[in-house]
């Protein structure tokens, strides 16, 4: 009965028609469809019995009829020893005839009865009994149809509930992922800002510009650069790339940067700084198997207003020395020092240096391999050849700020620059006619709140 969920449901036309049909077929004043509950008899449909929805389970009529598999017929209730005391018989209604067929489910449960009642004693035939049983079967079929519909509705409700819970779970997961992503990006951005100088220094007689961009805002990059004074008018600079990404690479980057700074203050030889870094990386157990590439330079002011530049390399791509030509173009020379092994890979690593003169009007570009390994639209790496061609097509004069701006514009045209971090550092010596007295420092942009950091600064003596 609980399975059919029929108790206390509103009136239903199908059951009402069964009661009315029973009354008409048997020519009785009262016919009902009842469901027998644990402690009551509930009327699903009534004909000729207004205002009654349920009665007690007194023995004699429905409560007795529901216990049998066959139609119950009591021709004269006053002669039946059990039915005679039922309130419907002994009460004001004065029922004298009662017949009922049980409503039996397909799996044998008896739920209630279809009843016909009269105030006069009477007899019915076996055919009439069979007709009453058929009416009970019609009620059973209605209950089965209702149960099937309920199952469909419940299945649909369950499906919608599951889908809603799934959507809710997905939405919560998405929001949690976005919060985690934002937190990671903020952490990476904060950590990244500690690995590069917040501003470039103002170097008398030199224009500086830089650019830094991580491949992903969620990861700390391994590229690094710096420019700092070493005393007596001399300046040092370096740029490099630590193997790997993330917090471990960041810790190596931090160690690298501060080791190079400290080494430069002790020994003016750039190769000595790389040797010190090589030793530091190999001795620190936290570094593990990580190594880095680096180019380290020392700037000595020259009499002509330019600088003597000593460059030492440790497995790093060459720097590019740019000089204006008489024809208005730019001559590009790759500055390669013979030798120069990876830093932090082996204890016996050897490093080499090369000295050049950076004259007024000339510039120097340092970069990490995120630039030359970027893919062009046709799928090929930009490579040293592509970078050389790009630099050679630029018109004179050579300006560090314009050089960085143009290189960043080149990166913006490449489709897959998100694969690797990119660090750029440019130095140029302004010509006397383009250099009024005074030194200005201009920040073109600041570190973004995410790790997608783009920094460009110039120190000019216009």
């Amino acid at each position: 009965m609980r399975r059919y969920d029929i108790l206390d449901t509103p009136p239903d036309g199908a059951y009402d028609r069964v009661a009315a049909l029973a009354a008409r077929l048997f020519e009785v004043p009262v016919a009902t469809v009842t469901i027998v509950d644990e402690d009551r008899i509930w009327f699903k449909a009534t004909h000729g019995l207004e205002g009654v929805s349920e009665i007690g389970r007194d023995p004699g009529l429905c409560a007795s009829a529901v216990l049998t598999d066959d139609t119950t017929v009591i021709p004269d209730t006053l002669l039946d020893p059990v039915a005679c005391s039922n309130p419907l018989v002994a009460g004001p209604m004065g029922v004298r005839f009662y017949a009922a067929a049980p409503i039996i489910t397909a799996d044998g449960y008896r739920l209630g009865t279809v009843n016909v009642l009269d105030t006069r004693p009477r007899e019915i035939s076996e055919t009439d009994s069979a007709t009453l049983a058929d009416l009970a079967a019609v009620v059973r079929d209605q209950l089965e149809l209702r149960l099937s519909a309920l199952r469909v509705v419940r299945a649909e409700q369950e499906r919608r509930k599951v889908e809603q819970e799934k959507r809710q779970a997905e939405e919560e997961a998405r929001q949690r992922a976005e919060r985690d992503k934002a937190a990671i990006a903020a952490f990476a951005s904060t950590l990244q800002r500690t690995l590069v100088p917040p501003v470039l220094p103002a170097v008398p007689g030199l224009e500086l510009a830089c650019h830094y961009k991580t491949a992903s805002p969620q990861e700390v990059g391994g590229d690094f650069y710096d420019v700092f004074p070493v005393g007596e008018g001399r300046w040092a600079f370096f740029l490099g790339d630590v193997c790997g990404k993330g917090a471990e690479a960041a810790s190596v980057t931090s160690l690298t940067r501060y080791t190079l700074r400290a080494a430069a203050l002790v020994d003016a030889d750039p190769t000595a700084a790389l040797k010190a870094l090589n030793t530091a990386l190999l001795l620190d157990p936290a570094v593990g198997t990580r190594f880095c590439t680096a180019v380290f330079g020392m700037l000595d002011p020259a009499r002509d207003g330019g600088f003597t530049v000593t460059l030492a390399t440790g497995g790093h791509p060459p720097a590019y020395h740019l000089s204006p030509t008489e024809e208005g173009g730019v001559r590009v020379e790759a500055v390669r020092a013979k030798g120069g092994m990876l830093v932090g890979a082996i204890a016996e690593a050897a490093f080499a240096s090369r000295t050049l003169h950076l004259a007024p009007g000339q510039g120097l570009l340092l970069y990490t391999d995120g630039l030359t390994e970027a893919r062009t639209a046709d799928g090929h790496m930009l490579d040293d050849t592509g970078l050389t061609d790009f630099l050679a097509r630029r018109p004179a004069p050579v300006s560090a700020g314009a050089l960085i701006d143009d290189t960043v514009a080149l990166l913006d045209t490449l489709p897959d620059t998100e694969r690797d971090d990119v660090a750029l550092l440019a130095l140029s010596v302004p010509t006397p006619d383009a250099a009024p007295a005074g030194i200005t420092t201009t920040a073109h942009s600041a570190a973004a709140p995410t790790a997608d950091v783009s920094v460009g600064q110039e120190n000019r003596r216009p």
Side-chain angles (χ1 to χ4, degrees), residues 91-171:
M93 190 172 175
V95 173
R96 294 292 301 276
F97 167 77
Y98 175 77
I103 303 169
I104 304 174
T105 65
D107 49 356
Y109 290 99
R110 293 187 291 271
L111 304 181
T113 55
V114 175
N115 315 278
V116 290
L117 303 90
D118 201 346
T119 55
R120 296 175 303 170
R122 58 184 297 179
E123 297 284 349
I124 62 172
S125 65
E126 291 184 1
T127 302
D128 291 337
S129 295
T131 299
L132 195 58
D134 286 342
L135 291 174
V138 170
V139 173
R140 179 201 60 200
D141 293 344
Q142 287 295 323
L143 290 172
E144 293 294 342
L145 288 173
R146 184 176 184 280
L147 178 60
S148 297
L150 284 175
R151 285 172 173 165
V152 171
V153 171
R154 289 166 179 165
E156 177 63 17
Q157 289 175 338
E158 184 64 23
R159 184 186 67 79
R160 290 181 180 179
K161 180 181 178 183
V162 171
E163 288 185 352
Q164 183 178 4
E165 292 175 348
K166 180 181 179 182
R167 287 196 296 271
Q168 183 176 355
E170 291 175 345
E171 176 61 18

Coordinates of all heavy atoms in Angstrom, one line a residue, residues 91-171:
G91 N -26.1 0.7 12.8 CA -26.3 2.1 12.9 C -27.4 2.6 12.1 O -28.2 1.8 11.5
P92 N -27.4 3.9 12.0 CA -28.5 4.6 11.2 C -28.6 4.2 9.7 O -29.7 4.2 9.2 CB -28.2 6.1 11.3 CG -27.3 6.2 12.5 CD -26.5 4.9 12.6
M93 N -27.5 3.8 9.2 CA -27.5 3.5 7.7 C -28.3 2.2 7.5 O -28.9 2.0 6.5 CB -26.1 3.4 7.2 CG -26.0 3.2 5.7 SD -24.3 3.3 5.1 CE -24.5 3.0 3.4
G94 N -28.2 1.2 8.4 CA -29.0 0.0 8.4 C -28.8 -0.8 7.1 O -29.7 -1.3 6.4
V95 N -27.5 -1.1 6.9 CA -27.1 -1.9 5.7 C -27.6 -3.4 5.9 O -27.3 -4.0 7.0 CB -25.6 -1.9 5.5 CG1 -25.2 -2.8 4.4 CG2 -25.1 -0.4 5.1
R96 N -28.3 -3.9 4.9 CA -28.8 -5.3 5.0 C -28.1 -6.2 4.0 O -28.0 -7.4 4.2 CB -30.3 -5.3 4.8 CG -31.1 -4.6 5.9 CD -31.0 -5.3 7.2 NE -31.5 -6.7 7.1 CZ -32.8 -7.1 7.2 NH1 -33.7 -6.2 7.4 NH2 -33.1 -8.4 7.1
F97 N -27.6 -5.6 2.9 CA -26.9 -6.4 1.9 C -25.5 -5.8 1.7 O -25.3 -4.6 1.6 CB -27.6 -6.4 0.6 CG -26.8 -7.0 -0.5 CD1 -26.6 -8.3 -0.7 CD2 -26.2 -6.1 -1.5 CE1 -25.9 -8.8 -1.7 CE2 -25.5 -6.6 -2.5 CZ -25.3 -8.0 -2.6
Y98 N -24.5 -6.8 1.6 CA -23.1 -6.3 1.4 C -22.4 -7.3 0.5 O -22.5 -8.5 0.7 CB -22.4 -6.2 2.7 CG -20.9 -5.8 2.6 CD1 -20.5 -4.6 2.3 CD2 -19.9 -6.8 2.7 CE1 -19.2 -4.3 2.2 CE2 -18.6 -6.5 2.6 CZ -18.2 -5.2 2.3 OH -16.9 -4.9 2.1
A99 N -21.7 -6.8 -0.5 CA -20.9 -7.6 -1.3 C -19.6 -6.9 -1.6 O -19.6 -5.6 -1.9 CB -21.6 -8.0 -2.6
A100 N -18.5 -7.5 -1.7 CA -17.2 -6.9 -1.9 C -16.2 -7.8 -2.6 O -16.2 -9.0 -2.3 CB -16.6 -6.4 -0.6
A101 N -15.4 -7.2 -3.5 CA -14.3 -8.0 -4.2 C -13.0 -7.4 -3.8 O -12.9 -6.1 -3.8 CB -14.5 -7.9 -5.7
P102 N -12.0 -8.2 -3.4 CA -10.8 -7.6 -3.0 C -10.0 -7.1 -4.2 O -10.0 -7.6 -5.3 CB -10.1 -8.8 -2.3 CG -10.6 -10.0 -3.0 CD -12.1 -9.6 -3.3
I103 N -9.2 -6.0 -3.9 CA -8.3 -5.4 -4.9 C -7.0 -6.1 -4.7 O -6.3 -5.8 -3.7 CB -8.2 -3.9 -4.8 CG1 -9.6 -3.3 -4.9 CG2 -7.2 -3.3 -5.8 CD1 -9.6 -1.8 -4.5
I104 N -6.5 -7.0 -5.6 CA -5.3 -7.8 -5.4 C -4.3 -7.4 -6.4 O -4.5 -7.4 -7.6 CB -5.6 -9.3 -5.5 CG1 -6.8 -9.7 -4.5 CG2 -4.4 -10.2 -5.2 CD1 -7.3 -11.2 -4.7
T105 N -3.1 -7.1 -5.9 CA -2.0 -6.7 -6.8 C -1.4 -7.9 -7.5 O -1.7 -9.1 -7.2 CB -0.9 -6.0 -6.0 OG1 -0.3 -7.0 -5.2 CG2 -1.4 -4.8 -5.2
A106 N -0.6 -7.7 -8.5 CA -0.1 -8.8 -9.3 C 0.8 -9.7 -8.5 O 1.0 -10.9 -8.7 CB 0.7 -8.2 -10.5
D107 N 1.5 -9.1 -7.4 CA 2.3 -9.9 -6.6 C 1.6 -10.4 -5.3 O 2.2 -10.8 -4.3 CB 3.6 -9.2 -6.2 CG 3.3 -7.7 -5.7 OD1 2.1 -7.4 -5.7 OD2 4.2 -7.1 -5.3
G108 N 0.2 -10.3 -5.3 CA -0.6 -11.0 -4.3 C -1.0 -10.2 -3.1 O -1.6 -10.8 -2.2
Y109 N -0.7 -8.9 -3.1 CA -1.1 -8.1 -1.9 C -2.5 -7.6 -2.1 O -2.9 -7.2 -3.2 CB -0.2 -6.9 -1.8 CG 1.2 -7.3 -1.3 CD1 2.3 -7.4 -2.2 CD2 1.5 -7.5 0.1 CE1 3.5 -7.7 -1.8 CE2 2.7 -7.9 0.5 CZ 3.8 -8.0 -0.4 OH 5.0 -8.4 0.0
R110 N -3.3 -7.7 -1.0 CA -4.7 -7.2 -1.1 C -4.7 -5.8 -0.4 O -4.5 -5.7 0.8 CB -5.6 -8.2 -0.3 CG -5.7 -9.6 -1.0 CD -6.8 -10.4 -0.3 NE -6.3 -10.9 1.0 CZ -5.6 -12.0 1.2 NH1 -5.3 -12.8 0.2 NH2 -5.3 -12.3 2.4
L111 N -5.1 -4.8 -1.3 CA -5.0 -3.4 -0.8 C -6.3 -2.9 -0.3 O -6.3 -2.0 0.6 CB -4.6 -2.5 -2.0 CG -3.3 -2.9 -2.7 CD1 -3.0 -1.9 -3.8 CD2 -2.1 -2.9 -1.7
G112 N -7.4 -3.4 -0.8 CA -8.7 -2.9 -0.3 C -9.8 -3.6 -1.0 O -9.7 -4.8 -1.5
T113 N -11.0 -3.0 -1.2 CA -12.2 -3.7 -1.8 C -13.0 -2.7 -2.6 O -13.0 -1.5 -2.4 CB -13.1 -4.3 -0.7 OG1 -13.4 -3.2 0.2 CG2 -12.4 -5.4 0.1
V114 N -13.7 -3.3 -3.6 CA -14.8 -2.6 -4.3 C -16.1 -3.1 -3.7 O -16.3 -4.4 -3.7 CB -14.7 -2.8 -5.8 CG1 -15.9 -2.2 -6.5 CG2 -13.4 -2.2 -6.3
N115 N -16.9 -2.3 -3.1 CA -18.1 -2.7 -2.3 C -19.4 -2.2 -2.9 O -19.4 -1.1 -3.5 CB -18.0 -2.1 -0.9 CG -16.6 -2.3 -0.4 OD1 -16.2 -3.4 0.1 ND2 -15.8 -1.3 -0.5
V116 N -20.4 -3.0 -2.8 CA -21.8 -2.6 -3.1 C -22.6 -2.8 -1.8 O -22.5 -3.9 -1.2 CB -22.4 -3.3 -4.3 CG1 -21.7 -2.8 -5.6 CG2 -22.3 -4.8 -4.2
L117 N -23.5 -1.9 -1.4 CA -24.3 -2.0 -0.2 C -25.7 -1.6 -0.5 O -26.0 -0.7 -1.3 CB -23.7 -1.1 0.9 CG -22.3 -1.3 1.3 CD1 -21.3 -0.4 0.5 CD2 -22.1 -0.9 2.8
D118 N -26.7 -2.3 0.2 CA -28.1 -2.0 0.0 C -28.7 -2.1 1.4 O -28.2 -2.8 2.3 CB -28.7 -3.0 -0.9 CG -30.0 -2.5 -1.5 OD1 -30.5 -1.5 -1.0 OD2 -30.5 -3.1 -2.5
T119 N -29.9 -1.4 1.5 CA -30.6 -1.4 2.8 C -31.6 -2.6 2.8 O -32.4 -2.7 3.7 CB -31.3 -0.1 3.0 OG1 -32.1 0.2 1.8 CG2 -30.3 1.0 3.2
R120 N -31.6 -3.3 1.7 CA -32.6 -4.5 1.6 C -31.7 -5.8 1.4 O -30.8 -5.8 0.7 CB -33.5 -4.3 0.5 CG -34.5 -3.1 0.6 CD -35.3 -3.0 -0.7 NE -34.4 -2.9 -1.8 CZ -34.8 -2.9 -3.1 NH1 -36.1 -3.1 -3.3 NH2 -34.0 -2.8 -4.1
P121 N -32.2 -6.8 2.0 CA -31.5 -8.1 1.8 C -31.7 -8.5 0.3 O -32.8 -8.2 -0.3 CB -32.2 -9.1 2.7 CG -32.9 -8.3 3.7 CD -33.2 -7.0 3.0
R122 N -30.7 -9.2 -0.2 CA -30.8 -9.6 -1.6 C -29.8 -10.7 -2.0 O -28.8 -10.9 -1.2 CB -30.7 -8.4 -2.6 CG -29.3 -7.8 -2.4 CD -29.2 -6.5 -3.3 NE -29.3 -6.9 -4.7 CZ -29.2 -6.0 -5.7 NH1 -29.1 -4.7 -5.3 NH2 -29.3 -6.3 -6.9
E123 N -30.0 -11.3 -3.1 CA -29.1 -12.4 -3.6 C -28.4 -11.9 -4.9 O -29.0 -11.0 -5.6 CB -29.9 -13.7 -3.9 CG -30.5 -14.3 -2.6 CD -29.5 -15.0 -1.8 OE1 -28.3 -15.2 -2.2 OE2 -29.9 -15.3 -0.6
I124 N -27.2 -12.3 -5.2 CA -26.6 -12.0 -6.5 C -26.1 -13.3 -7.0 O -25.8 -14.3 -6.3 CB -25.5 -11.0 -6.3 CG1 -24.3 -11.6 -5.5 CG2 -26.0 -9.7 -5.8 CD1 -23.1 -10.7 -5.5
S125 N -25.9 -13.4 -8.3 CA -25.5 -14.6 -9.0 C -23.9 -14.7 -9.0 O -23.2 -13.7 -8.7 CB -26.0 -14.6 -10.5 OG -25.4 -13.5 -11.2
E126 N -23.5 -15.8 -9.5 CA -22.0 -16.0 -9.6 C -21.4 -15.0 -10.7 O -20.3 -14.5 -10.6 CB -21.7 -17.4 -10.0 CG -21.9 -18.4 -8.9 CD -21.5 -19.8 -9.3 OE1 -21.0 -19.9 -10.4 OE2 -21.6 -20.7 -8.5
T127 N -22.3 -14.7 -11.7 CA -21.9 -13.8 -12.7 C -21.7 -12.4 -12.1 O -20.8 -11.6 -12.4 CB -22.9 -13.7 -13.9 OG1 -23.0 -15.0 -14.4 CG2 -22.5 -12.7 -14.9
D128 N -22.7 -12.0 -11.2 CA -22.5 -10.7 -10.6 C -21.3 -10.7 -9.7 O -20.6 -9.6 -9.6 CB -23.8 -10.5 -9.7 CG -25.0 -10.3 -10.5 OD1 -24.9 -9.9 -11.7 OD2 -26.1 -10.6 -10.0
S129 N -21.0 -11.8 -9.0 CA -19.7 -11.8 -8.2 C -18.5 -11.6 -9.1 O -17.5 -10.9 -8.7 CB -19.6 -13.1 -7.5 OG -20.7 -13.3 -6.5
A130 N -18.5 -12.3 -10.3 CA -17.4 -12.1 -11.2 C -17.3 -10.7 -11.7 O -16.2 -10.1 -11.9 CB -17.6 -13.1 -12.4
T131 N -18.5 -10.1 -12.0 CA -18.5 -8.7 -12.4 C -17.9 -7.8 -11.3 O -17.1 -6.9 -11.7 CB -19.9 -8.2 -12.7 OG1 -20.5 -9.0 -13.7 CG2 -20.0 -6.7 -13.1
L132 N -18.2 -8.0 -10.1 CA -17.6 -7.2 -9.0 C -16.1 -7.4 -8.9 O -15.3 -6.5 -8.7 CB -18.3 -7.6 -7.7 CG -18.1 -6.6 -6.5 CD1 -18.6 -5.2 -6.9 CD2 -18.8 -7.1 -5.2
A133 N -15.7 -8.7 -9.1 CA -14.2 -9.0 -9.2 C -13.5 -8.2 -10.3 O -12.4 -7.7 -10.2 CB -14.0 -10.5 -9.2
D134 N -14.2 -8.1 -11.5 CA -13.7 -7.4 -12.6 C -13.5 -5.9 -12.3 O -12.5 -5.3 -12.7 CB -14.5 -7.6 -13.8 CG -14.4 -9.0 -14.4 OD1 -13.4 -9.7 -14.1 OD2 -15.3 -9.4 -15.2
L135 N -14.5 -5.4 -11.6 CA -14.4 -4.0 -11.2 C -13.2 -3.8 -10.2 O -12.5 -2.7 -10.3 CB -15.7 -3.5 -10.5 CG -16.9 -3.4 -11.4 CD1 -18.2 -3.1 -10.6 CD2 -16.7 -2.3 -12.5
A136 N -13.0 -4.7 -9.3 CA -11.8 -4.6 -8.5 C -10.5 -4.7 -9.3 O -9.5 -4.0 -9.0 CB -11.8 -5.7 -7.4
A137 N -10.5 -5.5 -10.4 CA -9.3 -5.6 -11.2 C -9.1 -4.3 -12.0 O -7.9 -3.9 -12.2 CB -9.5 -6.8 -12.2
V138 N -10.2 -3.6 -12.4 CA -10.0 -2.3 -13.0 C -9.3 -1.3 -12.1 O -8.5 -0.6 -12.5 CB -11.4 -1.8 -13.5 CG1 -11.3 -0.3 -13.9 CG2 -12.0 -2.7 -14.6
V139 N -9.8 -1.4 -10.8 CA -9.1 -0.5 -9.8 C -7.7 -0.9 -9.7 O -6.8 0.0 -9.6 CB -9.9 -0.7 -8.4 CG1 -9.1 0.1 -7.4 CG2 -11.3 -0.1 -8.6
R140 N -7.4 -2.2 -9.6 CA -6.0 -2.6 -9.5 C -5.2 -2.1 -10.7 O -4.0 -1.6 -10.6 CB -5.9 -4.1 -9.5 CG -4.5 -4.7 -9.4 CD -4.4 -6.1 -9.9 NE -4.9 -6.2 -11.3 CZ -5.3 -7.3 -11.9 NH1 -5.4 -8.4 -11.2 NH2 -5.7 -7.3 -13.1
D141 N -5.8 -2.2 -11.9 CA -5.0 -1.7 -13.1 C -4.8 -0.2 -13.0 O -3.7 0.3 -13.4 CB -5.8 -2.0 -14.4 CG -5.9 -3.5 -14.7 OD1 -5.1 -4.3 -14.1 OD2 -6.8 -4.0 -15.4
Q142 N -5.8 0.5 -12.5 CA -5.6 2.0 -12.4 C -4.4 2.3 -11.4 O -3.6 3.2 -11.6 CB -6.9 2.6 -11.9 CG -7.9 2.7 -12.9 CD -7.5 3.6 -14.1 OE1 -6.9 4.7 -13.8 NE2 -7.9 3.3 -15.3
L143 N -4.4 1.4 -10.3 CA -3.3 1.6 -9.4 C -2.0 1.3 -10.0 O -1.0 2.0 -9.7 CB -3.6 0.7 -8.1 CG -4.7 1.1 -7.2 CD1 -5.0 0.0 -6.2 CD2 -4.4 2.5 -6.5
E144 N -1.9 0.3 -10.8 CA -0.6 -0.1 -11.5 C -0.2 1.0 -12.4 O 1.0 1.4 -12.5 CB -0.8 -1.4 -12.2 CG -1.0 -2.6 -11.3 CD 0.2 -2.9 -10.4 OE1 1.3 -2.4 -10.7 OE2 0.0 -3.6 -9.4
L145 N -1.2 1.6 -13.2 CA -0.8 2.7 -14.1 C -0.3 3.9 -13.3 O 0.6 4.6 -13.7 CB -2.1 3.1 -14.9 CG -2.5 2.1 -16.0 CD1 -3.9 2.5 -16.6 CD2 -1.5 2.0 -17.1
R146 N -1.0 4.1 -12.2 CA -0.6 5.3 -11.3 C 0.8 5.0 -10.8 O 1.7 5.9 -10.8 CB -1.6 5.5 -10.2 CG -1.3 6.6 -9.3 CD -2.3 6.8 -8.3 NE -2.1 8.0 -7.5 CZ -1.2 8.1 -6.5 NH1 -0.5 7.1 -6.2 NH2 -1.1 9.3 -5.9
L147 N 1.1 3.8 -10.4 CA 2.4 3.4 -9.9 C 3.5 3.6 -10.9 O 4.6 4.1 -10.7 CB 2.4 2.0 -9.3 CG 3.8 1.5 -8.8 CD1 4.2 2.4 -7.6 CD2 3.6 0.0 -8.4
S148 N 3.2 3.2 -12.2 CA 4.1 3.3 -13.3 C 4.4 4.8 -13.5 O 5.6 5.2 -13.7 CB 3.6 2.7 -14.6 OG 3.4 1.3 -14.4
A149 N 3.4 5.6 -13.5 CA 3.6 7.0 -13.7 C 4.4 7.6 -12.6 O 5.3 8.5 -12.8 CB 2.2 7.7 -13.8
L150 N 4.1 7.2 -11.4 CA 4.9 7.7 -10.2 C 6.4 7.3 -10.4 O 7.3 8.1 -10.1 CB 4.4 7.1 -8.9 CG 3.0 7.7 -8.4 CD1 2.6 6.9 -7.2 CD2 3.2 9.2 -8.0
R151 N 6.6 6.1 -10.8 CA 8.0 5.7 -11.0 C 8.7 6.5 -12.0 O 9.9 6.9 -11.8 CB 8.1 4.2 -11.4 CG 7.8 3.3 -10.2 CD 7.7 1.9 -10.7 NE 7.6 0.9 -9.5 CZ 7.2 -0.3 -9.6 NH1 6.8 -0.8 -10.8 NH2 7.1 -1.1 -8.5
V152 N 8.0 6.8 -13.1 CA 8.6 7.7 -14.2 C 8.9 9.1 -13.6 O 10.0 9.6 -13.8 CB 7.7 7.8 -15.4 CG1 8.2 8.8 -16.4 CG2 7.6 6.4 -16.1
V153 N 7.9 9.6 -12.9 CA 8.1 10.9 -12.3 C 9.2 10.9 -11.3 O 10.1 11.8 -11.3 CB 6.8 11.4 -11.6 CG1 7.0 12.7 -10.9 CG2 5.7 11.6 -12.7
R154 N 9.3 9.9 -10.4 CA 10.3 9.8 -9.4 C 11.7 9.7 -10.1 O 12.7 10.3 -9.6 CB 10.0 8.7 -8.5 CG 8.8 9.0 -7.5 CD 8.4 7.7 -6.8 NE 7.2 8.0 -5.9 CZ 6.5 7.1 -5.4 NH1 6.7 5.8 -5.7 NH2 5.5 7.4 -4.6
A155 N 11.7 8.9 -11.1 CA 13.0 8.7 -11.8 C 13.5 10.0 -12.4 O 14.7 10.3 -12.4 CB 12.9 7.6 -12.9
E156 N 12.5 10.7 -13.0 CA 12.9 12.0 -13.6 C 13.3 13.0 -12.5 O 14.3 13.8 -12.7 CB 11.7 12.6 -14.4 CG 11.9 14.0 -15.0 CD 13.0 14.0 -16.1 OE1 13.3 12.9 -16.5 OE2 13.5 15.1 -16.4
Q157 N 12.6 13.0 -11.4 CA 13.0 13.9 -10.3 C 14.4 13.5 -9.8 O 15.2 14.4 -9.5 CB 12.0 13.8 -9.2 CG 10.6 14.4 -9.5 CD 9.6 14.2 -8.4 OE1 9.7 13.2 -7.6 NE2 8.6 15.0 -8.4
E158 N 14.6 12.2 -9.7 CA 16.0 11.8 -9.2 C 17.0 12.2 -10.2 O 18.1 12.6 -9.8 CB 16.0 10.3 -9.0 CG 17.3 9.7 -8.5 CD 17.6 10.2 -7.1 OE1 16.6 10.6 -6.4 OE2 18.7 10.2 -6.7
R159 N 16.7 12.0 -11.5 CA 17.7 12.4 -12.6 C 18.0 13.9 -12.5 O 19.1 14.3 -12.5 CB 17.1 12.0 -13.9 CG 18.1 12.3 -15.1 CD 17.5 12.1 -16.4 NE 16.4 13.1 -16.7 CZ 16.7 14.3 -17.1 NH1 17.9 14.7 -17.3 NH2 15.7 15.2 -17.3
R160 N 16.9 14.7 -12.3 CA 17.1 16.1 -12.2 C 17.9 16.5 -11.0 O 18.7 17.4 -11.0 CB 15.8 16.8 -12.2 CG 15.0 16.8 -13.5 CD 13.7 17.5 -13.5 NE 13.0 17.5 -14.7 CZ 11.8 18.1 -14.9 NH1 11.2 18.7 -13.9 NH2 11.2 18.0 -16.1
K161 N 17.6 15.8 -9.9 CA 18.3 16.0 -8.6 C 19.8 15.7 -8.8 O 20.7 16.5 -8.4 CB 17.7 15.2 -7.5 CG 18.4 15.4 -6.2 CD 17.8 14.5 -5.1 CE 18.5 14.6 -3.8 NZ 17.9 13.7 -2.8
V162 N 20.1 14.6 -9.5 CA 21.5 14.2 -9.7 C 22.2 15.2 -10.6 O 23.3 15.6 -10.3 CB 21.6 12.8 -10.3 CG1 23.0 12.5 -10.7 CG2 21.1 11.7 -9.3
E163 N 21.5 15.6 -11.6 CA 22.1 16.6 -12.5 C 22.3 17.9 -11.8 O 23.3 18.6 -12.0 CB 21.2 16.8 -13.8 CG 21.2 15.6 -14.7 CD 20.3 15.9 -16.0 OE1 19.7 17.0 -16.0 OE2 20.4 15.1 -16.9
Q164 N 21.3 18.3 -11.0 CA 21.5 19.6 -10.3 C 22.7 19.5 -9.3 O 23.5 20.4 -9.2 CB 20.2 19.9 -9.5 CG 20.3 21.2 -8.7 CD 19.0 21.6 -8.0 OE1 18.0 20.8 -8.0 NE2 18.9 22.7 -7.5
E165 N 22.8 18.3 -8.6 CA 23.9 18.2 -7.7 C 25.2 18.1 -8.4 O 26.2 18.7 -8.0 CB 23.7 16.9 -6.9 CG 22.5 16.9 -5.9 CD 22.3 15.6 -5.2 OE1 22.9 14.6 -5.7 OE2 21.5 15.5 -4.3
K166 N 25.2 17.5 -9.6 CA 26.4 17.5 -10.5 C 26.8 18.9 -10.9 O 27.9 19.3 -10.8 CB 26.2 16.6 -11.7 CG 27.4 16.5 -12.6 CD 27.1 15.6 -13.8 CE 28.3 15.5 -14.7 NZ 27.9 14.6 -15.9
R167 N 25.7 19.6 -11.4 CA 26.0 21.0 -11.8 C 26.6 21.8 -10.6 O 27.5 22.6 -10.8 CB 24.8 21.7 -12.4 CG 24.4 21.1 -13.8 CD 23.4 22.1 -14.5 NE 22.2 22.1 -13.7 CZ 21.1 21.3 -13.9 NH1 21.2 20.4 -14.8 NH2 20.0 21.4 -13.2
Q168 N 25.9 21.6 -9.5 CA 26.4 22.4 -8.3 C 27.8 22.0 -7.9 O 28.6 22.9 -7.6 CB 25.4 22.1 -7.1 CG 25.7 22.9 -5.9 CD 24.7 22.7 -4.8 OE1 23.7 22.0 -5.0 NE2 24.9 23.3 -3.6
A169 N 28.1 20.7 -8.0 CA 29.4 20.3 -7.6 C 30.4 20.8 -8.6 O 31.5 21.3 -8.3 CB 29.5 18.8 -7.6
E170 N 30.1 20.8 -9.9 CA 31.0 21.4 -11.0 C 31.2 22.9 -10.8 O 32.3 23.4 -10.9 CB 30.4 21.1 -12.4 CG 30.4 19.6 -12.7 CD 29.7 19.4 -14.1 OE1 29.0 20.3 -14.6 OE2 29.9 18.2 -14.6
E171 N 30.1 23.6 -10.4 CA 30.2 25.0 -10.2 C 31.1 25.3 -9.0 O 31.9 26.2 -9.0 CB 28.8 25.6 -10.0 CG 28.8 27.1 -9.7 CD 29.4 27.9 -10.8 OE1 29.5 27.4 -11.9 OE2 29.8 29.1 -10.5

